[in-house]
């Protein structure tokens, strides 16, 4: 049977699932419940200098799908609002009681050497397994020169990371903000500063909705609001891309990655790991469904690994990186077309409307014995996938590889490319 | 002990009756409407639109519900079918839009179009402006005979075009069978009248009640005083069994009884038989059988001379009857009715079978059933009588004996149109509305030429 137990920068964990630094890891009570449910580790809700942060009332906004399923979720909360010593005492106690579980302490203090030095000593005394530097909170704290404001300036990241390595013996994970154009720059800065790992992504600047009666964005604080940090299923594609960017960039390819962002089930987790994350962190899914979802994540991942013959996480970690490339290296001679399986087609015509109105007019309608039949006009089909995407029936449209008999040819050598590399 | 001819009122108390006649399909909550609307696939050239005689853009109104604009959804429905509210409640959607829903194919369950339509109509925001406007008065005046679904739909469309409309209605109330015929548990309370008030809000329509074509006015008079005439008088005669004993007390037309039921202010006062036989196989047969049961009849049987496959009532309706513990007896052809001076006591049937050619033949086996009431629900007919006096020109009838019309709903008389049950068709409310709509368009065209 597949083994979920794994090691991340020398820290042993019973499974690759940690709770990300956020309300689920705010205090001992939650963390103990999480450990009881089976979570491998937690990144404790970000600690800062006393006095604790002050939060407003009304804190979360939501982006719903049509059936109230949460597509995305945002918050305007700050770092912990509890006294530093209370948090440290609780961390010490929980770590003592749960020696086989991971506790990472997330930190955010002003960008000066002294405050970092002070807090690092106190954290080390708790027996925690490591620290995570929160450079990512996109609201509130940046206004005090902390969080994303630091995360957006690579030199600051490098400087703070270096202090941490200097004043603490604990492994250092640098948590990256996605509110930046090229995620590789802060990752490289963390490496220069001596980071043991990076974790990403933190939340994305966002406004989830506007109440059209009051004209206030959500979450509304007495009729006014501010941008918040976006997370949940909607951010997964963005996070996956950023993880892969770091994993396949030569200068950062060796840094261990803890993947975060929209992980809601075992499959999401497996995708992050396949793109180079060595473990994953989860926040929104736990906030929406409770800690018990860890059971689905563990059983799903382990069953899938069994089916695939992977014995441990390392067996497939990064397995998709080699298949992630720049556009110019894709095979220009590859061809696929859609095929409609009439046994599964329910004749809704969605593929037709999509293709006819917005794509390549490659679907034909024929009337057959009073019923309609939708078929692909293969010569017109460019294999864009739109029909398959819009089709409500999972088995009705498949995309078929066509053997063109032509060799692999990428754009850098394509004769149609005026700037091609001459061989 | 069995009492002959046991007919009584108050078989059930008022609370039970109220409960029995509550809405057969309770309205959707907002949550249910969102879940139901999410199932609509917004099909290309959607089959449900084509299956709806009034071509309501069903995927569009469902999308409007789904995006929180039920008011807009209601406007969309009403602009295609001004009686969209009652249609949502009375249409046999299992044989119309919902039958062709593509969701049936892999999930065996259509989108719940009927209840979504009703949800939309219930959420029309009455604080908003009336959703229809009337064009400038054209000075033209159209007579519509019969204020049932066909007549009302036609009137509303013509009024929008700026024509003046007078509806001539034989009864004291308008609505036609929506008022007098539809099963009580489908259209509750005063729904038909409320809907008509909404129709009339357009303006330019007057109704002359208790004015019957044939007895109070003649077609010739209407033609002389109006620019066009639309005849929408429905069916006005019922079929007879033509067997001995039909004259006994307790042998009744189902439609008359339903009308009495719908108009009664206290249903506990209605006389209800203990053992009831219903002759027929269509919607009316199911309606009277179910309503009898709901009124407290002990034993109700629907007897049909053919087999189950030949029944006019849809599977859904047959199931509804079975749910109400109504018995079905097939292959039994009415033979004679037995009774005494109080009324009917028994009915005899001859067993039938199909011969080698597939033709139905009666055998000599007799089945006898005791009963207190026999309801005839064997179809209605169109009666030529009111159409014209002896020497006046009259519209031609078709093979079925209904008024003959062309694709424009024009009769053999140039300025006379007809629609609804009075012409050949499905005999459904929604189709009557469609006829009214299309006749209005043709009349408007003619009045402009
Ligand atoms: C018992 C029963 C149950 C039914 N249930 C359903 C159902 O569930 N769903 C469904 O879709 N359909 C149902 N139908 C059919 C549906 O009611 C009709 O198809 C529809 O009402 C036809 O509309 P109409 O306007 O043509 O005629 P009607 O509704 O019959 O209206 C005709 C109007 O003309 C008036 N009138 C008649 N003669 C004259 C005259 N000489 N002069 C002036 N006015 C006159 C009448 O009083 C009436 O108001 C049912 C029918 C019956 C009998
Ligand atoms: C309410 C809330 C509070 C958060 N607070 C913190 C925080 O204090 N420190 C931090 O590093 N990240 C914080 N995050 C970000 C999460 O740790 C995580 O990076 C992000 O939510 C993406 O993961 P998800 O899609 O699984 O939720 C917070 C997120 C939420 C929803
Ligand atoms: S979208 Fe899918 S189910 Fe609908 S017509 Fe096309 S192939 Fe058939």
């Amino acid at each position: 049977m597949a083994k979920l137990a794994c090691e991340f920068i020398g820290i042993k964990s019973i499974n690759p699932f940690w709770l990300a630094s956020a309300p689920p890891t705010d205090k001992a009570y939650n963390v103990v419940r999480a450990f009881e449910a089976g979570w491998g580790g937690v990144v404790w809700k970000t600690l800062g200098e006393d006095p604790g942060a002050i939060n407003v009332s009304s804190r979360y906004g939501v982006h719903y799908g049509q059936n109230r399923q949460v597509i995305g979720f945002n918050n305007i909360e700050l770092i912990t609002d509890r006294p530093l010593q209370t948090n440290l005492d609780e961390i010490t106690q929980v770590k003592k009681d749960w020696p086989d579980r991971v506790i990472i302490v997330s930190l955010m203090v002003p960008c000066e050497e002294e405050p970092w030095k002070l807090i690092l000593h106190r954290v080390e005394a708790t027996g925690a397994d490591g620290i995570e530097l929160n450079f990512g909170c996109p609201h509130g704290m940046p206004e005090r020169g902390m969080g994303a404001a630091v995360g957006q300036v690579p030199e600051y990241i490098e400087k703070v990371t270096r202090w941490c390595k200097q004043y603490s013996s604990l492994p250092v994970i640098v948590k990256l903000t996605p509110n930046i154009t090229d995620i590789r720059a802060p990752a490289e800065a963390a490496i220069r500063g001596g980071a043991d790992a990076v974790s990403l992504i933190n939340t994305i600047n966002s406004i989830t909705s506007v109440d059209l009666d009051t004209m206030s964005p959500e979450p509304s604080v007495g009729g006014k609001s501010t941008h918040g940090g976006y997370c949940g299923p909607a951010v997964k594609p963005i996070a996956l891309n950023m993880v892969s960017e770091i994993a396949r960039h030569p200068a950062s390819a060796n840094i261990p990655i803890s993947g975060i962002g929209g992980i809601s089930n075992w499959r999401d987790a497996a995708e992050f790991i396949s793109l180079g994350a060595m473990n994953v962190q989860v926040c929104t899914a736990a906030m929406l469904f409770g800690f018990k979802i860890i059971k689905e994540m563990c059983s799903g991942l382990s069953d899938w690994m069994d089916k695939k013959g992977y014995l441990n996480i390392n067996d497939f970690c990064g397995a998709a990186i080699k298949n992630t490339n720049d556009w110019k290296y894709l095979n220009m001679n590859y061809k696929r077309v859609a095929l409609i399986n009439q046994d599964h087609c329910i004749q809704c015509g969605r593929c037709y409307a999509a293709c006819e109105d917005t794509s390549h007019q490659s679907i034909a309608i024929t009337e057959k014995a009073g019923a309609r039949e939708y078929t692909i006009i293969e010569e017109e089909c460019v294999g864009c996938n739109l029909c398959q995407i819009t089709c409500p029936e999972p088995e009705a449209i498949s995309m078929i590889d066509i053997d063109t008999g032509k060799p692999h040819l990428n754009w850098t050598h394509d004769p149609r490319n005026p700037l091609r590399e001459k061989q | 002990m069995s009492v002959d001819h046991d007919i009584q009122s108050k078989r059930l108390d008022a609370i039970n009756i109220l409960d029995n006649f509550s809405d057969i399909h309770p309205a959707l909550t907002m949550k249910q409407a969102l879940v139901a609307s999410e199932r609509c696939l917004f099909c290309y050239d959607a089959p449900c639109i084509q299956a709806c005689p009034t071509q309501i853009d069903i995927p569009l109104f469902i999308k409007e519900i789904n995006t929180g604009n039920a008011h807009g959804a209601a406007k969309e429905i009403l602009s295609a079918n001004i009686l969209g509210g009652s249609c949502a409640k009375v249409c046999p959607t299992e044989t119309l839009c919902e039958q062709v829903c593509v969701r049936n194919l892999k999930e065996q369950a259509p989108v719940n179009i009927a209840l979504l339509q009703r949800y939309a109509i219930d959420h029309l925001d009455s604080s908003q402006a009336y959703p229809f406007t009337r064009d400038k008065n054209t000075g033209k005046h159209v007579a519509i005979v019969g204020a049932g679904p066909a007549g009302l739909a036609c009137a509303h469309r013509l009024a929008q075009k700026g024509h003046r409309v007078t509806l001539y209605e034989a009864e004291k109330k308008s609505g036609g069978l929506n008022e007098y015929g539809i099963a009580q548990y489908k259209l509750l309370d005063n729904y038909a009248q409320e809907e008509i008030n909404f129709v009339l809000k357009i303006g330019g329509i007057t109704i002359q009640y208790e004015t019957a074509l044939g007895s109070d006015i003649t077609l010739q008079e209407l033609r002389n005083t109006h620019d066009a005439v639309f005849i929408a008088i429905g069916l006005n005669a019922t079929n007879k069994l033509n067997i001995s004993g039909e004259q006994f007390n307790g042998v009744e037309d189902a439609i008359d009884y339903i009308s009495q039921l719908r108009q009664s202010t206290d249903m506990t006062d209605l006389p209800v038989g203990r053992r009831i036989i219903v002759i027929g196989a269509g919607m009316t047969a199911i309606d009277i059988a179910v309503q009898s049961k709901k009124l407290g009849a002990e034993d109700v049987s629907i007897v049909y001379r053919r087999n189950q496959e030949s029944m006019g009532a849809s599977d859904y309706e047959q199931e509804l009857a079975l749910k109400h513990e109504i018995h079905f007896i097939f292959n039994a052809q009415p033979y004679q009715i037995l009774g005494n001076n109080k009324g009917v006591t028994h009915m005899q049937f001859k067993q039938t079978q199909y011969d080698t050619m597939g033709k139905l033949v009666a055998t000599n086996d007799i089945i006898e059933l005791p009963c207190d009431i026999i309801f005839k629900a064997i179809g209605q007919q169109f009666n030529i009588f009111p159409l014209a006096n002896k020497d006046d020109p009259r519209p031609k009838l078709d093979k079925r004996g209904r008024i003959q019309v062309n694709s424009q709903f024009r009769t053999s008389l140039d300025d006379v149109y007809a629609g609804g049950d009075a012409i050949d068709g499905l005999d459904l409310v929604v189709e009557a509305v469609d006829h009214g709509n299309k006749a209005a368009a043709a009349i408007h065209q003619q009045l402009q030429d």
Side-chain angles (χ1 to χ4, degrees):
Chain A
M1 215 183 67
K3 212 171 85 191
L4 293 186
C6 53
E7 211 174 291
F8 184 75
I9 53 172
I11 305 166
K12 287 192 164 58
S13 180
I14 60 164
N15 62 44
F17 298 103
W18 294 355
L19 283 166
S21 171
T25 62
D26 184 51
K27 52 186 174 303
Y29 182 82
N30 306 40
V31 171
V32 168
R33 283 175 68 83
F35 287 163
E36 282 165 357
W39 290 86
V42 299
V43 181
W44 203 276
K45 171 76 183 173
T46 307
L47 311 185
E49 288 183 318
D50 281 331
I54 309 289
N55 278 305
V56 291
S57 177
S58 178
R59 302 177 184 182
Y60 305 151
V62 64
H63 179 185
Y64 275 131
Q66 301 297 14
N67 262 337
R68 265 184 93 80
Q69 79 272 30
V70 174
I71 294 172
F73 173 70
N74 89 354
N75 80 89
I76 55 170
E77 274 182 350
L78 308 180
I79 63 171
T80 186
D81 48 13
R82 309 162 77 230
L84 179 58
Q85 194 56 51
T86 311
N87 277 310
L88 296 173
D89 291 346
E90 289 185 5
I91 292 168
T92 311
Q93 187 62 43
V94 178
K95 184 63 208 179
K96 217 162 95 197
D97 296 344
W98 295 84
D100 69 334
R101 304 304 166 93
V102 179
I103 299 184
I104 305 291
V105 179
S106 170
L107 295 174
M108 182 196 281
V109 292
C111 209
E112 294 149 24
E113 198 164 349
E114 207 47 33
W116 281 101
K117 201 170 154 182
L118 281 175
I119 202 166
L120 286 165
H121 286 303
R122 296 173 70 182
V123 169
E124 192 147 355
T126 61
D129 299 285
I131 56 172
E132 185 181 79
L133 311 186
N134 178 0
F135 292 150
C137 178
H139 47 269
M141 305 314 282
E143 286 155 28
R144 303 188 209 166
M146 290 186 275
V150 179
Q152 285 161 348
V153 185
E155 299 83 75
Y156 291 174
I157 295 179
E158 184 182 339
K159 188 168 66 176
V160 174
T161 308
R162 189 164 287 128
W163 292 332
C164 292
K165 287 308 289 180
Q166 189 179 342
Y167 299 118
S168 167
S169 66
L170 293 175
V172 175
I173 306 167
V174 174
K175 185 166 181 177
L176 303 180
T177 174
N179 298 311
I180 188 160
T181 321
D182 187 347
I183 198 70
R184 291 171 299 190
E188 282 185 56
I191 293 167
R192 283 195 304 273
D196 297 282
V198 291
S199 60
L200 69 159
I201 58 173
N202 208 315
T203 54
I204 304 176
N205 286 345
S206 61
I207 290 178
T208 48
S209 64
V210 175
D211 181 325
L212 291 176
D213 294 324
T214 63
M215 284 297 166
S216 167
E218 297 289 349
S220 171
V221 180
K224 304 236 183 315
S225 192
T226 181
H227 68 84
Y230 199 44
C231 52
V235 311
K236 182 191 114 178
I238 297 164
L240 272 181
N241 175 52
M242 290 185 163
V243 166
S244 85
E245 293 273 288
I246 293 172
R248 64 193 191 85
H249 178 52
S252 55
N254 292 326
I255 186 96
I257 300 171
S258 182
I260 319 171
I263 296 167
S264 310
N265 52 48
W266 71 267
R267 188 182 292 275
D268 296 333
E271 291 175 22
F272 272 83
I273 295 169
S274 74
L275 278 175
M278 296 177 75
N279 78 358
V280 294
Q281 298 183 30
V282 175
C283 169
T284 302
M287 289 184 74
L288 296 175
F289 298 104
F291 291 143
K292 189 179 150 187
I293 49 148
I294 183 61
K295 298 201 167 24
E296 180 280 331
M297 292 180 175
C298 285
S299 66
L301 187 61
S302 137
D303 291 345
W304 170 78
M305 285 168 65
D306 284 345
K307 208 162 88 193
K308 292 286 173 188
Y310 296 128
L311 298 178
N312 54 51
I313 302 291
N314 283 336
D315 279 0
F316 71 100
C317 178
I321 298 174
K322 65 174 191 300
N323 296 326
T324 314
N325 227 329
D326 290 352
W327 187 91
K328 63 185 176 193
Y329 297 123
L330 300 176
N331 183 2
M332 305 304 292
N333 280 338
Y334 169 72
K335 184 167 165 66
R336 61 166 21 186
V337 295
L339 177 74
I340 298 180
N341 181 339
Q342 301 302 335
D343 291 340
H344 289 281
C345 172
I346 59 172
Q347 288 106 40
C348 69
R350 283 268 294 269
C351 55
Y352 178 83
C355 189
E356 194 68 12
D357 288 355
T358 73
S359 290
H360 298 88
Q361 295 76 44
S362 19
I363 296 179
I365 310 180
T366 38
E367 294 282 339
K368 247 195 180 168
R372 277 183 236 166
E373 190 171 283
Y374 293 88
T375 47
I376 303 293
I377 307 167
E378 218 181 285
E379 311 79 72
E380 301 295 330
C381 180
V382 302
C384 74
N385 304 341
L386 179 64
C387 57
Q388 189 192 39
I389 289 168
T390 192
C391 176
E393 282 299 319
E395 292 172 285
I397 301 187
S398 31
M399 301 304 300
I400 307 292
D401 283 354
I402 298 291
D403 184 4
T404 57
K406 294 182 191 161
H408 189 288
L409 173 72
N410 73 41
W411 185 243
T412 63
H413 298 126
D414 193 311
R416 292 166 293 187
N417 175 6
L419 303 173
R420 69 182 172 279
E421 296 164 16
K422 302 276 178 334
Q423 273 149 323
Chain B
M1 192 203 74
S2 104
V3 185
D4 272 355
H5 208 63
D6 182 355
I7 299 178
Q8 295 172 25
S9 58
K10 305 212 187 302
R11 282 191 186 274
L12 296 176
D13 62 21
I15 292 173
N16 273 315
I17 293 270
L18 200 67
D19 196 39
N20 282 349
F21 281 88
S22 64
D23 214 331
I24 180 159
H25 298 297
L28 298 178
T29 62
M30 184 184 71
K31 177 71 203 293
Q32 288 170 324
L34 285 179
V35 173
S37 61
E38 186 60 22
R39 291 191 67 232
C40 173
L41 292 170
F42 206 70
C43 290
Y44 173 77
D45 197 5
C48 52
I49 304 181
Q50 294 177 12
C52 172
T54 55
Q55 305 261 300
I56 295 173
D57 193 333
I58 294 163
L60 181 56
F61 91 69
I62 292 181
K63 190 139 220 102
E64 287 170 318
I65 292 177
N66 192 251
T67 57
N69 183 16
H71 176 72
K75 287 195 297 182
E76 182 61 42
I77 294 161
L78 294 169
S79 66
N81 179 336
I82 193 66
L83 300 188
S86 51
C87 281
K89 297 172 182 225
V90 309
C91 274
T93 49
E94 69 277 8
T95 63
L96 299 168
C97 51
E98 290 182 11
Q99 183 178 44
V100 299
C101 177
V102 300
R103 285 281 192 193
N104 285 309
L105 264 86
K106 291 278 167 188
E107 295 161 61
Q108 280 72 45
V111 173
N112 197 337
I113 299 170
L115 281 178
L116 284 168
Q117 176 160 328
R118 174 167 164 194
Y119 180 85
I121 299 290
D122 287 350
H123 288 80
L124 183 80
D125 182 353
S126 55
S127 69
Q128 301 278 311
Y130 188 69
F132 300 94
T133 52
R134 198 160 132 67
D135 292 348
K136 204 163 88 308
N137 193 335
T138 59
K140 306 282 186 189
H141 187 192
V142 180
I144 296 180
V145 191
L152 288 164
C154 185
H156 193 259
R157 285 278 166 103
L158 288 171
Q160 287 182 65
K161 294 289 181 200
H163 307 301
R164 194 153 66 85
V165 177
T166 303
L167 278 160
Y168 297 90
E169 169 55 54
E171 298 290 337
K172 283 202 205 63
K173 284 184 181 173
S174 46
L177 289 170
N178 269 5
E179 176 60 37
Y180 294 102
I182 299 288
Q184 176 75 5
Y185 51 83
K186 292 188 193 166
L187 271 189
L188 296 184
D189 304 327
N190 213 15
Y191 194 85
Q193 296 311 311
E194 285 162 20
E195 193 173 38
I196 291 159
N197 291 341
F198 180 81
V199 172
L200 297 181
K201 266 199 193 155
I202 182 79
I205 305 173
T206 41
I207 308 186
Q208 221 163 291
Y209 289 106
E210 298 182 83
T211 310
L213 181 68
S215 44
D216 303 310
I217 31 155
T218 66
L219 182 58
Q220 201 50 46
E221 280 164 14
L222 290 178
R223 295 179 71 193
N224 291 341
T225 50
H226 297 76
D227 297 293
V229 182
F230 179 56
I231 301 176
I233 56 179
L235 298 172
N236 46 10
T238 46
N239 290 332
K240 294 220 168 351
L241 289 166
N242 294 323
I243 56 173
S244 82
E246 204 166 347
Q247 77 290 349
F248 279 120
N249 252 340
V251 181
E252 298 195 28
D253 266 330
I255 293 183
D256 292 344
Y257 190 81
I258 294 173
S259 166
Q260 207 187 330
L261 186 162
R262 288 196 57 94
Q263 297 305 312
S264 78
T265 43
D266 182 354
M267 279 190 269
T268 62
D269 286 342
L270 290 170
V272 182
R274 187 164 66 88
R275 297 158 306 180
I276 291 177
I277 292 177
V278 176
I279 312 294
M283 203 185 268
T284 307
I286 304 276
D287 283 0
I288 188 67
V290 171
Q291 289 176 109
S292 297
K293 210 58 198 191
K294 284 176 181 287
L295 286 169
E298 227 173 78
D299 190 89
V300 180
S301 305
I302 293 178
V303 188
Y304 181 40
R305 65 199 172 98
R306 296 179 183 277
N307 59 14
Q308 182 167 12
E309 291 71 54
S310 319
M311 273 193 93
S314 68
D315 292 350
Y316 165 79
E317 289 168 301
Q318 295 183 39
E319 249 170 59
L320 181 74
L322 289 175
K323 247 190 253 167
H324 286 85
E325 294 171 352
I326 287 156
H327 312 291
F328 283 98
I329 298 169
F330 295 106
N331 291 99
Q333 174 175 310
Y335 175 52
Q336 60 179 337
I337 296 169
L338 310 175
N340 55 31
N341 56 350
K342 282 202 271 169
V344 48
T345 57
H346 292 81
M347 181 157 178
Q348 288 186 342
F349 300 85
K350 277 187 166 175
Q351 187 88 50
T352 65
Q353 60 188 37
Y354 290 92
D355 68 13
T356 46
M357 307 295 289
K359 198 170 157 278
L360 189 75
V361 287
T363 66
N364 284 327
D365 295 339
I366 303 283
I367 309 165
E368 186 176 284
L369 298 176
C371 57
D372 307 302
I373 296 266
I374 297 168
F375 282 122
K376 294 181 282 183
I378 47 173
Q380 293 169 275
Q381 277 184 355
F382 184 73
N383 186 347
I384 177 86
F385 158 74
L387 279 187
N389 291 331
K390 198 157 74 323
D391 301 324
D392 292 342
R394 57 171 67 184
K396 284 205 185 91
L397 301 188
D398 64 15
K399 288 196 293 284
R400 254 180 108 191
R402 304 209 185 170
I403 302 174
Q404 193 177 54
V405 293
N406 66 11
S407 61
Q408 303 292 301
F409 293 86
R410 192 188 285 197
T411 68
S412 56
L413 305 176
D414 228 23
D415 54 340
V416 179
Y417 295 74
D421 286 359
I423 69 167
D424 193 25
L426 300 172
D427 295 348
L428 292 174
V429 172
V430 64
E431 198 195 46
V433 171
D434 176 54
H435 292 172
N437 287 348
K438 290 190 173 135
I443 292 168
H444 175 64
Q445 186 65 43
Q446 188 182 27
L447 295 184
Q448 277 182 317
D449 290 344

